[in-house]
Amino acid sequence: MTLNVTNCPKCGRLMQKGIRTVCPNCHQEIEKQYETCLKYLRENRKCTLGELSEATGVSMSQITKFIREGRISIAEHINMSYQCEVCGSSIRESHLCETCRNRLVKDVNGMRQDELRRAQQQANKSIGYFKNQDNK
């Protein structure tokens, strides 16, 4: 019989696997931070991410996580933005800025073309091999 337990990545306490990503105590603390952020945002619609973090004591990374999870909407908060995960430029949606997203699409398309080219070359080599075998 195996125990389905692990250590909480936030505090290191023993916790049950599969229910949440953090232990109950850390989950409760995160929920308190979320409520604190919401309360501040209701009263300060023009604040920035830095101001929200400073005023609430909640880390910018945790606030960004709330935004990316869809728990905090910045649509009505005109001064609120967070950083692109690749280059760090300010964005208001998604994980990547437009430049990084375009670069990623270009790189993926380039890899697909390289893969198709290699497959075509391999097919051509095989055809050439069989033609040479027929001539013998």
Side-chain angles (χ1 to χ4, degrees):
M1 183 170 133
T2 61
L3 294 175
N4 209 11
V5 295
T6 189
N7 288 48
C8 174
K10 196 163 172 85
C11 71
R13 288 189 187 117
L14 206 57
M15 61 177 264
Q16 188 174 357
K17 274 186 186 177
I19 296 176
R20 292 193 176 99
T21 58
V22 293
C23 72
N25 291 341
C26 290
H27 177 73
Q28 189 174 24
E29 179 61 33
I30 290 169
E31 291 304 306
K32 285 180 187 175
Q33 291 175 346
Y34 171 68
E35 291 298 327
T36 302
C37 288
L38 281 184
K39 183 178 179 188
Y40 186 83
L41 284 171
R42 283 186 201 114
E43 297 166 0
N44 302 280
R45 292 206 175 270
K46 293 184 179 182
C47 72
T48 64
L49 185 68
E51 291 168 349
L52 175 60
S53 176
E54 191 176 311
T56 61
V58 178
S59 71
M60 290 177 59
S61 62
Q62 184 61 56
I63 296 169
T64 301
K65 189 173 180 184
F66 291 147
I67 294 168
R68 287 195 173 125
E69 289 172 346
R71 297 183 73 189
I72 291 179
S73 172
I74 63 172
E76 296 176 9
H77 303 281
I78 57 174
N79 295 327
M80 187 82 68
S81 63
Y82 52 95
Q83 294 182 333
C84 168
E85 289 183 0
V86 175
C87 70
S89 65
S90 292
I91 56 175
R92 290 185 49 82
E93 61 183 26
S94 189
H95 293 268
L96 305 175
C97 66
E98 190 67 28
T99 302
C100 291
R101 193 172 24 254
N102 289 340
R103 187 177 326 121
L104 180 63
V105 168
K106 181 181 174 186
D107 290 349
V108 168
N109 288 338
M111 289 172 59
R112 284 183 184 153
Q113 289 175 352
D114 289 346
E115 201 172 292
L116 288 172
R117 197 174 306 116
R118 270 189 247 114
Q120 186 64 42
Q121 288 172 348
Q122 191 66 30
N124 289 344
K125 285 180 185 177
S126 297
I127 291 170
Y129 173 78
F130 289 118
K131 281 185 179 179
N132 289 338
Q133 292 296 317
D134 290 341
N135 292 336
K136 287 185 180 181

